[in-house]
Amino acid sequence: VLLPSSKVVSNEAQTDILVPLTLKWVLGNGKFKFFIRGGMAVDYLLASTAGITRKNFDLNQSEYAGPEVNLTPIRNKFNLSAVGGLGFQFKLGYGFLILDSRYYYGLSNLSKQSVRYDNYTPLMVNYGYLDNDFSIDNIQVNVGYLYSLYKFKKVKTKIIQE
């Protein structure tokens, strides 16, 4: 915060496309199988907006909340994450009941450093705020049922003797 007698609160919402590429190691035989996964994910940012409020701690205790700010131009479009996870699958009928949990550890800085110190950014002019370096970590839990549309059939072989 560039104004020491104020507090800035920002609630940022991002819309992105996340593409994970992981390897899965399955342990166990039979109906119940445990698995561990690891890999990388690429994240493409589509939009980033924030509702920002600045509260002054001077004599008048004023508060300023402007319109929603588009932060997409000051964010990096591509970001990388390391992915780790574990889960289980349970054979149920013709498919599998699956519980899959993943942790995404952000490796990239989301702030675009090339425009951070530009004179006219909405954060600096209206709120006295200079963006920090940051990455995003998240936890994902999936519950689902995997059903194969393909029905496996045993092939009978005939041995013809001459």
Side-chain angles (χ1 to χ4, degrees), residues 14-19 41-47 72-81 106-113 134-136:
Q14 295 185 344
T15 304
D16 56 12
I17 297 172
L18 179 70
V19 179
V42 177
D43 184 9
Y44 180 75
L45 181 68
L46 299 173
T72 308
I74 63 171
R75 297 288 179 249
N76 287 317
K77 289 282 190 183
F78 287 98
N79 298 292
L80 291 175
S81 297
L107 300 173
S108 302
N109 178 16
L110 272 64
S111 293
K112 193 182 287 185
Q113 293 180 354
F134 71 98
S135 62
I136 294 180

Side-chain angles (χ1 to χ4, degrees), residues 12 14 27 29 36 45 47-48 60 76 90 102 118 133:
E12 186 171 344
Q14 295 185 344
L27 305 167
N29 296 331
I36 300 170
L45 181 68
S48 180
N60 63 0
N76 287 317
F90 180 73
R102 300 177 189 186
D118 285 357
D133 289 344

Side-chain angles (χ1 to χ4, degrees), residues 56-86:
N56 296 321
F57 297 115
D58 54 8
L59 294 176
N60 63 0
Q61 297 287 313
S62 63
E63 188 170 303
Y64 174 74
E68 204 169 68
V69 178
N70 179 15
L71 299 178
T72 308
I74 63 171
R75 297 288 179 249
N76 287 317
K77 289 282 190 183
F78 287 98
N79 298 292
L80 291 175
S81 297
V83 182
L86 51 96

Side-chain angles (χ1 to χ4, degrees), residues 34-38 84-88 99-103 140 142:
F34 178 77
F35 59 85
I36 300 170
R37 72 171 65 239
L86 51 96
F88 71 87
L99 174 66
D100 182 13
S101 61
R102 300 177 189 186
Y103 180 74
Q140 181 181 44
N142 303 310

